[in-house]
Amino acid sequence: MPSLGRLHLITDTREGRDPLAVVRAALTVAHADLVVQVRVEDSATDREAYDLTRRVLALCASYQATCLVNDRLHVALAVGAAGGHVGADDLPVAAARRVLGPTGVLGATARAPGPAREAVAAGASYLGVGPCHTTSTKTGLPDPIGPAGVRAVVDAVDVPVIAIGGVTAARVPALRAAGAYGVAVVGAVSAAADPARATAELIEALTC
Ligand SMILES: Cc1ncc(COP(=O)(O)OP(=O)(O)O)c(N)n1
Ligand SMILES: Cc1nc(C(=O)O)sc1CCOP(=O)(O)O
Ligand SMILES: [Mg+2]
């Protein structure tokens, strides 16, 4: 399996957003270092998810970047994406691994060491760990775990930990110091006035 990119851009498909323009801008800067996770609203149809993912995958292919699909693993398989990401409301990790097969990239959400160990034992290839900080992108999350919470998970597992939730370039150094392999962002790029520049700042922070 090729090494995992350190910057994960999760699409923002809420009303008024332009996810393809944001992905295009980020790819022009991050190239193969970028992982794009296609995340659609729960209300989106499978056809909408499929159409968006096909277009994102085509953009990613031009830069040898990795495309993953959130929740809907059948969409990932249908388009030929590299894999997917599951959390507590999705397929269990072991079932997701069976769906994706032994070589698919499989991310799992874990917020504490115990569930993190279980997810890895069940076949997760990386963990999304958070929320690290307060986020306005998703509601209903537990309190932020901060860099210390990330460190606790990093110390418990031997797969890459991707920190998520309120991540900005300024917050990357503390997360990296806590052992995070990389970060996942929505707002830091999608809500930026200049998504390409925001991507460059995140890449710079991740490579320092
Ligand atoms: C990298 C990464 N980490 C965590 C999540 C959250 O996944 P999940 O808990 O399944 O929540 P939804 O994104 O499905 O609302 C993620 N998507 N990516
Ligand atoms: C989709 C998602 N999952 C989270 C989790 O902690 O599981 S936080 C999050 C949203 C992250 O968006 P932003 O970078 O704008 O804070
Ligand atoms: Mg999910």
Side-chain angles (χ1 to χ4, degrees):
M1 197 179 301
S3 73
L4 187 69
R6 292 184 193 271
L7 178 59
H8 294 222
L9 171 62
I10 301 179
T11 59
D12 189 345
T13 58
R14 290 173 293 178
E15 195 67 32
R17 269 64 169 194
D18 188 348
L20 285 171
V22 170
V23 167
R24 209 175 281 118
L27 281 168
T28 59
V29 173
H31 302 185
D33 291 339
L34 195 67
V35 176
V36 181
Q37 183 192 125
V38 179
R39 179 176 183 267
V40 298
E41 301 301 294
D42 289 344
S43 59
T45 65
D46 276 350
R47 181 65 67 89
E48 288 166 337
Y50 175 78
D51 287 343
L52 176 63
T53 308
R54 269 184 16 134
R55 297 174 78 180
V56 169
L57 183 65
L59 291 173
C60 287
S62 312
Y63 293 90
Q64 285 82 50
T66 300
C67 177
L68 304 178
V69 179
N70 187 49
D71 298 348
R72 307 190 197 204
L73 302 185
H74 56 302
V75 172
L77 290 177
V79 302
H85 187 100
V86 294
D89 294 336
D90 310 314
L91 282 179
V93 177
R97 173 52 71 200
R98 285 196 292 277
V99 170
L100 289 180
T103 59
V105 179
L106 176 57
T109 304
R111 311 192 188 285
R117 280 190 213 96
E118 288 171 15
V120 174
S125 16
Y126 75 88
L127 298 178
V129 176
C132 299
H133 299 280
T134 304
T135 176
S136 56
T137 301
K138 181 174 173 176
T139 56
L141 288 168
D143 288 342
I145 61 173
V150 172
R151 165 59 69 189
V153 173
V154 166
D155 287 345
V157 297
D158 57 3
V159 299
V161 164
I162 304 299
I164 185 170
V167 175
T168 61
R171 287 170 167 164
V172 166
L175 295 168
R176 290 276 287 155
Y181 173 85
V183 298
V185 301
V186 180
V189 171
S190 294
D194 184 343
R197 183 172 175 179
T199 302
E201 288 169 358
L202 284 159
I203 292 283
E204 165 82 17
L206 283 164
T207 47
C208 276

